[in-house]
Amino acid sequence: MTTQPEKLNFDVLIIGGGIAGIEAAINIANNGFKVILAEKDLTIGGKMLLLSKVFPTLDCSACITTPKISEADRHPNITIFTNTEITSIEKQDATYFKANLVKHTRFVEEEDCTGCQLCEEACPVVVPDQYQYGMVGRKAAYIPFNIASPRVATIDIDNCILCGACEKACPTHCINFMQADKNYRLIVKSVIVATGFKLFDATKIQRYQYGTAKNIINAMQMERLLAPTRPYNHVIRPGDGRVPDKIAYVLCTGSRDFTVGNPICSQICCMYSLKQAQLLMGALPMADVTIYYISIRSFGKGFEEFYEQAKSMGINFVKGKIGNITEKENGNLILRYEDVASGRLKESEHDLVVLSVGVVPNEDASSLFGDAEWKQDAFHFPLQKDLLFNPSLSNINGIFMAGTTTGPMDIPDAILSAGAASMEAIQYIQKTAL
Amino acid sequence: MKQKIGVYICHCGGNISDYVDVEKVRQAVIDEPGVALVENTMFACADSNQKKMLDDIKQQQLDGVVVASCSPKLHQPTFQSVVERAGLNKYNYIHANIREQVSWPHSDDKAGATAKAIQLVKAAIAKVRLAESIEPMQIETEQAVLVVGAGIAGMKAAIALAKTGTQVYLIEREHFIGGRIAQWDVLCTTDETGKELVTRLYNEVKACKNIVLFTGAEMIENHGSKGNFKISIRIKPRYIQKHCNDGRLQKAIEVCPVEIEDEFNFNITKRKAIYHNFPSEYPHAAVIDMEHCTRCGECLKICDQINLDQEEERLELKVGSILVATGFDPYEPVEGEFGYQAFDNVVTLPQFKRLVANSEHKLYWKGKRVRNIGYIYCVGSRQTNGDNKYCSRYCCTSTIYAAIKAGEKIKDLNHFHFTRGIRTYGKQEVLYHEASLQGQLFFQSPDDDLPKVETKNSKTIIKVNDLLSLNHSIETEVDLVVLVTGMVPRHNNTVSEILKIPKGRDHFFNEIHMKLRPVETVIDGVSIAGCCQGPKNVVESINSALSAAIKCYSLVSQSHLQVEPIVAGVDEQLCEWCGLCADSCPFDAIHMSQTPAKQTALVNEAVCKGCGMCLPVCPTNAIQLNTYSDPEIESMIQTLASDL
Amino acid sequence: MAALTTKKARILVFSTEKISDPAIDMAGLLKLHYPPSVYTISLPCSSSVKPRWIIHAFENGFDGVFIAADGSDCPYGESCTEKTAQIVRKTQEIMKAQQIEPAKLRMAAICSVCSEAFVKQMKSFHAYLLTQQTIAL
Ligand SMILES: Cc1cc2nc3c(=O)[nH]c(=O)nc-3n(C[C@H](O)[C@H](O)[C@H](O)COP(=O)(O)OP(=O)(O)OC[C@H]3O[C@@H](n4cnc5c(N)ncnc54)[C@H](O)[C@@H]3O)c2cc1C
Ligand code: SF4
Ligand code: SF4
């Protein structure tokens, strides 16, 4: 059953609704241009919406993100498509691009869903919750999390058993198992790629035992444990639900490491580890937190002061690279490392290990452009053709890049790069209009 | 006072009606004064109900509307727009939150929830009864932007703004544009030179007809605010008129008897009082440095285009927004800091970069051959005792890159890096790796035990207790010590006082919000870009410049600015002008106004953000905030308390 | 004693649109319970509460007034915490003069996700106000 795609016109297509995509959308829309923001996930907000607090201000991440999200959501010049995939983008001439989009079905009429969660209560199926990084379960009929935007339900059809319980429970009758994917064909003048980054997959370093040892988590999981929309009400270790009291951070996991093919520094992990360590000291005053590092890179505005604060709070810093981690029978972990201060190999025992995983490129965009070649740099991030003069320009004229698409950065840097991409896109549109 | 108020109470498909007896609420409010109609609805936000509301308002000529449903964060804008579509001003709409604040938190107490819902709806009715239409405020804007500082950030922003068709005034305090970048040679990581980059920028600036560039120009005064700044600038003369030909000028420079240190080369070379600014001189025009000119008249004898009595000019510029990109100063080490000025072979990183730029094949400093170079990092940054606690961000990478590039140009150099832990963040990490592979040596000193520079038998020694080799004390003999100086805020930057831009703990300009609004300031209409906000490299400066540009653009892209009409207003009768309100306003929106009768406070509505901080401080209660006036708030309080 | 359990104390909360309202809303979303005799009036900023409004609330029968302050999250500036505290001090003086127990006015910073903190505050304030009522009886 193929339906004719609906045709739509916009000035700018923004791919990815993380903080960078949202900022770019607002910037462009505020100047009177029409923007479509296409997000693959069920909610916009990207990773920032899932973080606990942000360094170095320790502002709650969700609370500073949601106002931006609602601004974008309400903006008359912004159209947001979630659960949407771009399938192709073709440059037509100097003035416009054609893009094909699929808006995947949620099996729920978005406009009618009031977010009451009654379907969720009714659904009998429980699967791991991807928004809690697998630490707890969710239903097959579900709303991603409380502050998701849009806050509407989705039926996870792969796990749904078609029992119809949700349909009966829904007071607005908005669940519709016949709803199909919708195709769209867009004409846009410029494109901004803001597809963000991926987290390094720590299972690639087998000697760290991530995925096999129960009490080793990655930093994103720790963000969730500390966030206001957290899975449990306390920081606990996943293996046995015990409150940990000797926690280790392994910095540079998957970064500055030729053996995993990623020689660059991820530039955020030192700082987020310092942040989490401070939050842990607050949540578990009796706990011991040790950070194993190569060098602490607290280089941004207010960062060095933040590092000093962490030291004064009693967080332990050990300079040394972790060789391997082994799990004991009681679920505790033995870290073997080279201690730079003494020049010796040492071992230490911890009951929870957090891997400060780095940033790796999201290569989604590389397959979108058909004949026009999408070039990458040596680290598989998209090429910045004119780095010093126009950092947001890709190798295709008219396509700009925002946020962590082009490399690791923290939130303010992502905002700045989104500002740059949106300013360049506006100039580009106005130039081609002449 | 409203006579025909329509009230809609939502079931929210059970979310409300399961815990709140909606019908009872309807009954309870139907006889409230002014209420013309009360309806229950399954979903207030549904299209069908919106249509019904629209019809009701039109047909029954309702003059006020209340919807009691979910949080106003979700649907207040929806219902405001319904009211507007029906031809009513949106401020005649009041929302009551009976889901997030009633049915859900009190799902354990249905009677209590219903009672509370009744009070909340009654209070909303009480408020809407007093509501008044407020027209959105529009201010006419000057569709022009002032960019202060013509370094890379300022120039890039000016070009971007100009390309959108905006009129741009670009003012530069120095006689030459380019800022610091003009002083650098190759730049990481593309190997473009500073000169090339500045040339590209300057050519684009010149190509944009709607950029007016003033050099030697400084801001001296501001009257006005967002949308309508009136900025006075002062333009210093060059003392040389347009048509002095190059040959004669060259001679004039030769005869000038004054020799001073050349700041462009960070004082490692000399120049005359009449001078060119090689190698990246834009605009291409010489200038006389009046501070050092002795008015001896030698140059006048050679060229009649020189005029030592040229006068400064003053201009007023009218702009809608301002972009400040005044950059940084390199940290100037104090005398004796790591041997600075105590030994004659201690230079700063900027000086070293100029030295390498001016050298070929072999490196000489003060006539002596340089082979071994020791770099001491974090000078003026990350100070344990001094004021500068912050890391300057650019310098680790910049130094390693400078060392690699020096090594490519001059083959026989050995590099020794005395660091506090290298911070080549992001992709720059590969430079660190490359330097290590080349055999450059890195040491790391503890934060509380910094390297020492000493002389022994007329040799310069750097001593360090190296963390990377079990704290062993290491002595290295070097020919040149390079102090890796950080960035500090520009001194005598008067722009911040004139525009009232706040500074942070680190004394750089402060943004409004460190995470999400890094280029805007609390001064509406003023944004900050580049290193005046904090240390940055070239790419980061360009990004921040363009971000600031788009924020400025959105203030001038339309001929009018909409401003939120929720503002404070002063009752002239009651006001005794004590100034307390003016002090309490975080936005400097209140000033004294002199009427024939008396002095009173006056609120600049274009600047007022409607926070209400001035309300409680007024001793005569002369200030009211739109939509939060005493009658409105007090009638709500009274109504809420009336459930006795 | 039976009378005590059914008794309620009325609390007026001055909340703020950008900061504490979201937290109070979220308390509802999470179905965290607090006494239904808590009513909120929301304002742009917690530093805009006029002392006369607070007095007005007591005069009209409210047992307690709570200011859900923006604290350091205030979108209008850093001076907010200090200014709200000033309002509280000033009002408590007026309260004393009018023989109203100053402890019946409370303030605490409620950030935009401080739902649990808000509920805790409401419960303990409510409990306190009830003890005040028994003393009065
Ligand atoms: C554990 C951890 C802690 C952190 N803590 C902090 C902190 O305290 N402070 C700080 O400043 N920074 C922090 N960061 C960094 C911060 O998360 C990033 O700087 C920020 O999220 C980058 O935003 P972005 O929009 O570039 O990318 P993302 O947040 O990754 O957003 C990209 C968006 O694009 C969507 N997308 C991806 N591919 C496609 C596609 N093909 N089509 C459509 N949409 C697509 C994604 O679903 C996502 O919504 C932290 C990061 C981590 C991992
Ligand atoms: S930021 Fe820190 S932890 Fe992350 S890769 Fe760089 S040095 Fe390692
Ligand atoms: S960037 Fe490197 S040299 Fe510069 S202050 Fe930071 S740590 Fe020191």
Side-chain angles (χ1 to χ4, degrees):
Chain A
M1 187 187 68
T2 50
T3 47
Q4 271 302 58
E6 193 180 323
K7 293 199 171 99
L8 299 171
N9 276 292
F10 290 93
D11 291 309
V12 183
L13 162 65
I14 298 180
I15 312 175
I19 193 62
I22 293 172
E23 171 75 7
I26 294 174
N27 279 340
I28 295 173
N30 276 346
N31 288 297
F33 300 96
K34 297 272 180 214
V35 180
I36 176 163
L37 182 62
E39 166 60 55
K40 185 164 77 168
D41 206 338
L42 295 171
T43 169
I44 59 169
K47 297 192 191 58
M48 184 176 172
L49 196 55
L50 296 171
L51 301 179
S52 54
K53 303 210 170 181
V54 289
F55 60 75
T57 54
L58 293 183
D59 280 325
C60 145
S61 189
C63 3
I64 61 175
T65 322
T66 43
K68 280 255 173 192
I69 290 180
S70 35
E71 191 182 345
D73 198 28
R74 272 212 288 276
H75 206 296
N77 292 338
I78 301 178
T79 304
I80 300 176
F81 276 18
T82 49
N83 208 15
T84 295
E85 237 175 301
I86 318 285
T87 49
S88 70
I89 298 178
E90 281 166 60
K91 185 166 173 136
Q92 298 301 317
D93 58 24
T95 60
Y96 74 104
F97 294 85
K98 266 188 194 162
N100 287 312
L101 247 84
V102 197
K103 190 169 197 303
H104 293 295
T105 171
R106 288 177 186 256
F107 302 101
V108 170
E109 303 298 343
E110 267 184 54
E111 299 72 37
D112 296 337
C113 174
T114 69
C116 68
Q117 288 173 299
L118 292 175
C119 55
E120 222 173 272
E121 266 168 45
C123 177
V125 181
V126 180
V127 293
D129 183 350
Q130 70 272 35
Y131 297 99
Q132 304 290 10
Y133 288 79
M135 291 185 292
V136 288
R138 62 151 170 89
K139 298 296 184 68
Y142 72 112
I143 286 177
F145 44 89
N146 274 330
I147 47 176
S149 173
R151 194 173 172 279
V152 294
T154 301
I155 311 295
D156 166 5
I157 209 71
D158 295 336
N159 290 301
C160 169
I161 54 169
L162 296 174
C163 69
C166 53
E167 228 177 335
K168 287 193 207 98
C170 176
T172 63
H173 309 294
C174 65
I175 297 178
N176 172 7
F177 282 100
M178 304 302 287
Q179 194 187 57
D181 286 356
K182 267 192 94 172
N183 292 303
Y184 293 86
R185 166 146 261 207
L186 299 187
I187 304 282
V188 296
K189 295 178 188 147
S190 174
V191 178
I192 293 179
V193 180
T195 46
F197 66 102
K198 292 198 163 153
L199 288 171
F200 174 76
D201 172 9
T203 58
K204 287 192 180 150
I205 306 181
Q206 279 172 9
R207 28 179 237 287
Y208 284 180
Q209 308 290 340
Y210 180 75
T212 51
K214 291 180 293 294
N215 295 320
I216 303 183
I217 59 176
N218 70 26
M220 202 62 200
Q221 290 172 314
M222 181 53 92
E223 288 291 332
R224 298 306 304 144
L225 290 176
L226 293 164
T229 49
R230 57 190 177 253
Y232 321 111
N233 253 333
H234 217 344
V235 177
I236 55 176
R237 57 179 208 169
D240 48 14
R242 255 193 43 220
V243 175
D245 58 22
K246 204 159 180 277
I247 304 164
Y249 275 83
V250 180
L251 265 50
C252 302
T253 303
S255 309
R256 305 176 70 179
D257 186 349
F258 279 91
T259 65
V260 297
N262 189 28
I264 68 174
C265 158
S266 291
Q267 92 183 47
I268 55 169
C269 13
C270 279
M271 285 305 292
Y272 73 55
S273 304
L274 290 177
K275 165 190 77 181
Q276 292 185 357
Q278 293 192 22
L279 295 176
L280 283 169
M281 299 291 278
L284 311 170
M286 304 309 289
D288 236 20
V289 183
T290 306
I291 293 183
Y292 296 89
Y293 69 98
I294 307 178
S295 45
I296 294 287
R297 293 193 160 159
S298 44
F299 56 83
K301 191 160 177 165
F303 290 9
E304 185 72 8
E305 295 88 332
F306 194 70
Y307 178 28
E308 287 303 321
Q309 180 175 311
K311 285 197 267 188
S312 70
M313 283 172 82
I315 293 161
N316 308 314
F317 287 87
V318 176
K319 190 170 169 74
K321 182 123 182 112
I322 302 294
N324 63 38
I325 304 176
T326 45
E327 188 181 24
K328 285 187 27 177
E329 218 153 86
N330 64 2
N332 283 4
L333 304 143
I334 308 288
L335 274 59
R336 248 174 98 79
Y337 63 99
E338 192 204 317
D339 181 42
V340 172
S342 64
R344 294 218 183 85
L345 272 181
K346 283 194 174 170
E347 285 190 350
S348 66
E349 182 170 339
H350 293 271
D351 57 4
L352 179 67
V353 170
V354 184
L355 301 178
S356 296
V357 288
V359 168
V360 293
N362 174 1
E363 295 181 68
D364 276 10
S366 53
S367 60
L368 293 180
F369 298 97
D371 295 339
E373 194 196 350
W374 180 250
K375 290 193 185 141
Q376 296 185 334
D377 67 13
F379 318 108
H380 302 284
F381 288 100
L383 184 74
Q384 293 164 282
K385 190 171 81 181
D386 194 0
L387 181 67
L388 293 185
F389 196 71
N390 187 348
S392 61
L393 181 63
S394 74
N395 70 300
I396 303 174
N397 244 352
I399 300 190
F400 302 95
M401 302 174 295
T404 49
T405 305
T406 54
M409 46 182 98
D410 66 352
I411 293 159
D413 281 343
I415 293 273
L416 293 181
S417 107
S422 38
M423 191 71 206
E424 294 287 2
I426 287 183
Q427 284 174 70
Y428 179 80
I429 299 173
Q430 290 183 320
K431 199 165 67 194
T432 53
L434 292 178
Chain B
M1 198 74 97
K2 301 266 179 309
Q3 301 298 330
K4 295 192 115 186
I5 301 168
V7 181
Y8 300 82
I9 306 163
C10 183
H11 283 249
C12 196
N15 281 301
I16 293 172
S17 56
D18 284 355
Y19 313 102
V20 171
D21 185 339
V22 175
E23 179 52 24
K24 200 168 167 189
V25 179
R26 196 180 77 87
Q27 297 288 346
V29 303
I30 198 152
D31 293 326
E32 285 292 289
V35 171
L37 152 169
V38 187
E39 298 274 349
N40 290 349
T41 159
M42 186 51 74
F43 288 105
C45 58
D47 266 352
S48 55
N49 186 63
Q50 291 192 29
K51 278 197 205 89
K52 180 170 188 320
M53 286 174 67
L54 225 127
D55 291 343
D56 289 348
I57 299 171
K58 284 189 183 154
Q59 281 163 15
Q60 311 203 23
Q61 294 180 340
L62 300 180
D63 56 5
V65 176
V66 169
V67 174
S69 64
C70 51
S71 164
K73 308 283 172 298
L74 298 168
H75 280 307
Q76 177 162 304
T78 313
F79 298 123
Q80 282 180 335
S81 109
V82 172
V83 166
E84 275 187 332
R85 276 180 280 149
L88 214 58
N89 180 282
K90 71 173 184 187
Y91 294 97
N92 294 305
Y93 170 80
I94 303 292
H95 196 94
N97 178 356
I98 59 167
R99 190 174 83 171
E100 280 80 352
Q101 295 198 7
V102 181
S103 67
W104 283 348
H106 312 310
S107 56
D108 57 337
D109 178 357
K110 291 186 190 177
T114 304
K116 178 171 176 181
I118 291 172
Q119 293 318 109
L120 289 185
V121 179
K122 282 185 177 171
I125 294 170
K127 185 167 184 193
V128 86
R129 218 182 279 137
L130 299 170
E132 279 170 17
S133 301
I134 316 173
E135 291 313 319
M137 279 192 337
Q138 295 250 350
I139 52 172
E140 219 175 293
T141 49
E142 292 289 344
Q143 289 184 282
V145 177
L146 171 68
V147 177
V148 186
I152 43 159
M155 283 197 282
K156 182 73 191 179
I159 294 164
L161 283 163
K163 286 198 174 159
T164 64
T166 308
Q167 174 65 45
V168 180
Y169 301 104
L170 175 58
I171 63 171
E172 167 57 54
R173 190 167 69 178
E174 302 299 321
H175 285 293
F176 305 99
I177 57 89
R180 299 288 173 202
I181 229 55
Q183 296 170 288
W184 307 147
D185 195 24
V186 278
L187 299 167
C188 64
T189 49
T190 63
D191 296 350
E192 266 169 286
T193 64
K195 184 179 172 176
E196 281 162 4
L197 199 58
V198 170
T199 308
R200 261 176 99 178
L201 286 162
Y202 185 71
N203 289 341
E204 288 215 26
V205 165
K206 285 280 113 185
C208 292
K209 298 205 172 52
N210 46 349
I211 300 181
V212 183
L213 168 68
F214 298 100
T215 52
E218 201 171 0
M219 178 187 295
I220 49 178
E221 245 179 342
N222 166 37
H223 299 284
S225 55
K226 176 172 96 174
N228 295 288
F229 289 100
K230 292 182 193 67
I231 303 288
S232 310
I233 61 167
R234 176 173 53 208
I235 305 171
K236 284 182 288 186
R238 296 187 102 84
Y239 305 102
I240 303 173
Q241 278 142 359
K242 285 226 164 81
H243 305 291
C244 184
N245 76 35
D246 278 357
R248 255 185 289 158
L249 194 60
Q250 205 42 51
K251 265 216 188 93
I253 294 175
E254 272 162 31
V255 300
C256 174
V258 181
E259 262 209 348
I260 52 167
E261 287 178 333
D262 185 357
E263 283 181 352
F264 183 83
N265 282 332
F266 295 101
N267 305 346
I268 61 175
T269 56
K270 306 257 186 218
R271 67 156 165 80
K272 298 294 183 68
I274 171 168
Y275 68 107
H276 277 295
N277 202 40
F278 285 123
S280 343
E281 176 186 76
Y282 299 109
H284 180 61
V287 64
I288 294 178
D289 169 2
M290 225 3 115
E291 223 182 286
H292 295 101
C293 167
T294 56
R295 293 181 160 264
C296 68
E298 288 298 322
C299 57
L300 292 177
K301 292 181 197 150
I302 291 169
C303 179
D304 61 356
Q305 291 288 313
I306 295 175
N307 173 4
L308 295 182
D309 299 317
Q310 219 175 28
E311 290 193 352
E312 67 172 38
E313 278 177 71
R314 279 179 192 233
L315 274 183
E316 188 174 87
L317 302 174
K318 288 187 181 156
V319 295
S321 64
I322 302 177
L323 190 153
V324 176
T326 48
F328 68 100
D329 277 329
Y331 171 77
E332 176 67 20
V334 295
E335 205 183 316
E337 190 172 1
F338 300 106
Y340 189 65
Q341 283 166 352
F343 311 129
D344 70 353
N345 56 348
V346 179
V347 299
T348 65
L349 179 64
Q351 288 173 329
F352 176 68
K353 290 180 71 140
R354 291 306 313 152
L355 178 67
V356 175
N358 295 335
S359 305
E360 292 295 334
H361 312 302
K362 286 176 184 147
L363 197 62
Y364 287 95
W365 175 250
K366 306 232 155 144
K368 281 193 207 136
R369 188 71 184 273
V370 174
R371 287 201 174 84
N372 295 333
I373 307 172
Y375 304 88
I376 299 183
Y377 283 62
C378 306
V379 177
S381 310
R382 303 176 66 185
Q383 291 175 328
T384 342
N385 297 319
D387 246 3
N388 301 347
K389 300 291 177 212
Y390 57 89
C391 160
S392 288
R393 182 170 189 152
Y394 86 101
C395 21
C396 279
T397 305
S398 203
T399 308
I400 292 179
Y401 182 75
I404 293 174
K405 287 294 149 188
E408 283 172 9
K409 208 169 171 186
I410 296 144
K411 299 290 173 207
D412 61 353
L413 299 178
N414 300 312
H415 307 274
F416 303 92
H417 300 265
F418 299 90
T419 81
R420 303 263 300 272
I422 284 291
R423 291 182 170 171
T424 40
Y425 57 92
K427 297 176 191 170
Q428 300 163 351
E429 178 75 0
V430 293
L431 288 172
Y432 178 28
H433 187 73
E434 186 185 333
S436 311
L437 286 184
Q438 285 180 1
Q440 301 194 18
L441 292 180
F442 290 85
F443 308 91
Q444 181 178 346
S445 56
D447 292 343
D448 51 5
D449 183 9
L450 301 181
K452 288 184 187 63
V453 180
E454 290 169 3
T455 49
K456 247 190 215 165
N457 314 327
S458 75
K459 294 200 168 111
T460 307
I461 308 279
I462 299 179
K463 265 194 192 165
V464 65
N465 291 325
D466 182 27
L467 277 180
L468 307 179
S469 49
L470 308 178
N471 246 342
H472 280 315
S473 150
I474 291 174
E475 294 194 0
T476 312
E477 186 193 324
V478 296
D479 307 314
L480 187 68
V481 179
V482 177
L483 303 185
V484 177
T485 45
M487 291 186 181
V488 295
R490 262 194 204 268
H491 40 261
N492 69 50
N493 195 346
T494 51
V495 177
S496 71
E497 279 98 70
I498 296 168
L499 296 176
K500 302 203 167 61
I501 307 174
K503 293 177 182 166
R505 272 188 301 182
D506 53 11
H507 306 298
F508 286 98
F509 291 163
N510 233 8
E511 61 281 16
I512 202 164
H513 190 282
M514 199 187 258
K515 302 306 284 186
L516 290 183
R517 297 174 74 185
V519 295
E520 293 156 272
T521 68
V522 292
I523 311 302
D524 261 355
V526 176
S527 52
I528 48 181
C531 293
C532 66
Q533 183 263 353
K536 286 179 191 59
N537 65 23
V538 174
V539 172
E540 290 154 358
S541 294
I542 295 277
N543 279 342
S544 93
L546 292 171
S547 294
I550 200 160
K551 299 294 175 195
C552 287
Y553 181 54
S554 54
L555 295 178
V556 303
S557 60
Q558 258 91 44
S559 62
H560 287 79
L561 272 179
Q562 284 258 3
V563 290
E564 182 67 58
I566 312 267
V567 290
V570 177
D571 182 331
E572 280 181 26
Q573 307 266 294
L574 296 176
C575 174
E576 306 274 347
W577 180 249
C578 61
L580 285 175
C581 53
D583 295 342
S584 74
C585 177
F587 306 104
D588 202 18
I590 307 183
H591 289 279
M592 193 256 281
S593 139
Q594 181 78 53
T595 65
K598 67 198 266 203
Q599 293 180 336
T600 63
L602 183 71
V603 178
N604 180 346
E605 297 187 341
V607 180
C608 173
K609 293 231 170 83
C611 66
M613 288 196 188
C614 54
L615 306 183
V617 304
C618 177
T620 61
N621 196 33
I623 304 191
Q624 301 286 345
L625 184 64
N626 269 344
T627 76
Y628 299 94
S629 67
D630 289 344
E632 285 164 296
I633 300 291
E634 287 171 4
S635 72
M636 285 180 84
I637 294 174
Q638 211 162 335
T639 314
L640 287 175
S642 68
D643 67 328
L644 294 165
Chain C
M1 284 309 278
L4 234 183
T5 51
T6 56
K7 257 207 114 53
K8 62 176 183 185
R10 268 185 224 85
I11 299 175
L12 179 64
V13 175
F14 285 107
S15 63
T16 68
E17 278 149 17
K18 297 200 177 71
I19 308 300
S20 52
D21 277 351
I24 301 174
D25 282 357
M26 189 143 91
L29 204 63
L30 301 171
K31 304 257 161 79
L32 300 172
H33 301 310
Y34 54 90
S37 52
V38 170
Y39 300 97
T40 55
I41 290 183
S42 71
L43 300 171
C45 168
S46 53
S47 297
S48 65
V49 182
K50 285 189 184 178
R52 59 178 272 163
W53 298 343
I54 300 171
I55 303 297
H56 191 77
F58 288 117
E59 285 169 358
N60 279 278
F62 273 101
D63 301 283
V65 174
F66 181 85
I67 302 182
D70 285 347
S72 54
D73 289 355
C74 178
Y76 301 106
E78 286 160 15
S79 59
C80 185
T81 313
E82 177 44 38
K83 281 183 177 145
T84 311
Q86 185 97 37
I87 292 167
V88 170
R89 276 198 295 276
K90 201 159 126 186
T91 313
Q92 283 177 330
E93 258 153 48
I94 306 174
M95 290 167 72
K96 262 186 237 158
Q98 303 196 0
Q99 325 257 293
I100 307 170
E101 168 57 42
K104 290 184 173 182
L105 169 60
R106 276 196 192 174
M107 105 174 211
I110 300 290
C111 81
S112 61
V113 288
C114 290
S115 309
E116 285 161 35
F118 173 75
V119 169
K120 234 188 245 167
Q121 288 281 356
M122 285 307 108
K123 286 186 173 162
S124 74
F125 195 24
H126 190 255
Y128 162 77
L129 291 170
L130 285 182
T131 65
Q132 291 294 301
Q133 285 181 348
T134 33
I135 292 166
L137 279 177

